[in-house]
């Protein structure tokens, strides 16, 4: 499962859904981790962009998936707010791997900028990626999965030199965690349109994009009020290995749809 968790805004729907589905691997973006506080909720403020944030969303998902090994990958540490009190909080992505799957390789790095330790920074902000290589005993093969949360440009989802560089760094991280013969998967909230250079670069690396090639018309749901219905993508190196692939619009657990791949 690949999902942008929206900072846990819909945690009451998301946590039971994730617990019930218990995917072997969960690639989760937009994860909040605030170890300095035990509060449940904080507020993100960026000009007129104000959002409630589940203060310890990473902790929440860990509790919902007690049989998974979690890894949190921060992109930045900035400030969230408890009314008028500043609370240091890390923001990034996380990967949860069921303990029955041996993790035989890992890579963590940045696809845009570097870790920002004293604030979330100027847009487009730092973005990280994480890859794991696991051994699938059911299919007797190694599988590598690398995911990222693509940079957000205030001007929109158009192609930019930063996004081109980001795509190439993402491939490099996937290369670093993969071995010859692996089934390779790259996924995440890329923040681009289906005709983007980002996807063309990934396809040029021998990957097949599943969302649009399977005829899905959106990876957003009714929680998302802006134009543009795509953000999330999943690519595989071998479509013959795919049993099923789906974009889940119901239940709504975020303003993004979960992408579910079964091998």
């Amino acid at each position: 499962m690949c999902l942008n968790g929206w900072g846990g805004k819909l945690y009451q729907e998301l946590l039971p859904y994730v617990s019930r589905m218990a995917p072997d691997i969960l690639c989760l973006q937009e994860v909040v981790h605030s170890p300095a506080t035990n509060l449940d909720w904080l507020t993100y403020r960026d000009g007129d962009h104000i959002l409630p944030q589940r203060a310890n969303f990473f902790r929440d998902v860990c509790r919902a998936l007690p049989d998974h090994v979690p890894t949190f990958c921060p992109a930045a540490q900035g400030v969230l707010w408890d009314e008028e009190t500043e609370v240091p909080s890390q923001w990034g992505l996380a990967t949860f791997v069921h303990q029955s799957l041996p993790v035989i390789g890992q890579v963590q790095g940045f696809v845009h900028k570097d870790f920002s330790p004293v604030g979330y920074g100027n847009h487009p902000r730092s973005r990280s990626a994480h890859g794991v290589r696991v051994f699938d005993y059911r299919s007797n093969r190694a599988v590598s999965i690398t995911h990222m949360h693509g940079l957000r440009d205030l001007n929109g989802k158009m192609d930019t030199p930063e996004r081109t560089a980001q795509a190439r760094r993402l491939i490099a991280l996937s290369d670093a965690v993969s071995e010859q013969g692996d089934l390779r998967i790259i996924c995440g909230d890329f923040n681009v349109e289906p005709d983007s250079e980002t996807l063309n670069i990934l396809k040029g690396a021998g990957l097949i994009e599943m969302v649009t090639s399977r005829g899905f018309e959106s990876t957003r749901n009714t929680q998302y009020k802006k134009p543009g219905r795509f953000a999330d993508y999943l690519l595989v190196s071998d479509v013959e290995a795919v049993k099923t692939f789906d974009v889940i619009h119901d239940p709504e657990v975020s303003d993004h749809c979960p992408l579910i791949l079964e091998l």
Side-chain angles (χ1 to χ4, degrees):
M1 180 185 294
C2 180
L3 172 64
N4 180 315
W6 205 15
K9 184 176 179 179
L10 298 183
Y11 86 104
Q12 288 183 313
E13 291 78 18
L14 187 149
L15 295 181
Y17 173 73
V18 167
S19 178
R20 183 175 72 253
M21 295 297 292
D24 290 325
I25 298 173
L26 170 62
C27 298
L28 188 65
Q29 301 92 48
E30 208 163 306
V31 180
V32 183
H33 177 47
S34 308
T37 182
N38 289 318
L39 292 172
D40 289 330
W41 290 100
L42 295 169
T43 301
Y44 169 77
R45 299 174 184 170
D46 181 17
D48 59 359
H49 193 51
I50 299 173
L51 289 174
Q53 298 281 280
R54 190 70 182 167
N56 282 289
F57 187 35
F58 178 59
R59 176 202 64 192
D60 295 338
V61 180
C62 287
R63 291 175 176 173
L65 295 173
D67 295 326
H68 288 62
V69 177
T71 303
F72 175 66
C73 304
Q77 177 164 303
V79 169
L80 298 180
W81 295 86
D82 174 23
E83 296 183 348
E84 298 308 313
T85 301
E86 296 184 0
V87 178
S89 181
Q90 297 169 21
W91 181 92
L93 48 79
T95 310
F96 300 82
V97 181
H98 193 274
Q99 59 190 7
S100 64
L101 284 173
V103 177
I104 55 177
Q106 284 195 70
V107 63
Q108 178 181 350
F110 281 78
V111 291
H112 182 67
K113 296 182 177 177
D114 200 350
F115 180 67
S116 178
V118 289
Y120 297 124
N122 295 324
H123 293 286
R125 290 171 169 167
S126 299
R127 298 293 169 136
S128 59
H130 185 229
V132 294
R133 184 172 185 248
V134 301
F135 194 83
D136 180 3
Y137 278 99
R138 290 171 296 186
S139 301
N140 194 35
R141 67 183 167 203
V143 182
S144 76
I145 305 100
T146 306
H147 71 116
M148 77 164 181
H149 186 184
L151 67 87
R152 175 174 174 255
D153 192 310
L154 297 182
N155 294 315
K157 295 181 178 180
M158 66 289 175
D159 292 331
T160 63
E162 291 82 7
R163 283 191 167 116
T164 298
Q166 174 180 253
R168 299 196 186 284
R169 288 175 185 150
L170 179 62
I171 292 172
L173 287 168
S174 175
D175 287 344
V177 79
S178 303
E179 299 290 342
Q180 187 173 0
D182 288 1
L183 177 63
R184 293 176 60 173
I185 298 165
I186 293 180
C187 58
D189 171 10
F190 293 174
N191 267 323
V192 297
E193 298 290 350
D195 61 352
S196 67
E197 185 181 11
T198 293
L199 290 178
N200 287 335
I201 289 170
L202 296 174
K203 292 173 187 176
L207 298 165
I208 299 94
E209 195 279 303
M210 298 295 294
V211 173
T212 56
S213 69
R214 294 291 175 104
F216 293 99
E217 297 180 352
S218 175
T219 62
R220 295 288 203 169
N221 56 36
T222 63
Q223 300 291 326
Y224 188 72
K225 308 302 182 182
K226 301 176 185 178
R229 305 310 302 168
F230 290 95
D232 312 89
Y233 300 92
L234 187 148
L235 301 95
V236 299
S237 60
D238 180 10
V239 292
E240 297 299 320
V242 176
K243 288 185 179 178
T244 62
F245 175 75
D246 205 358
V247 177
I248 306 300
H249 284 83
D250 183 25
E252 295 186 348
V253 298
S254 167
D255 62 343
H256 295 252
C257 298
L259 311 183
I260 299 182
L261 176 75
E262 182 183 4
L263 303 174

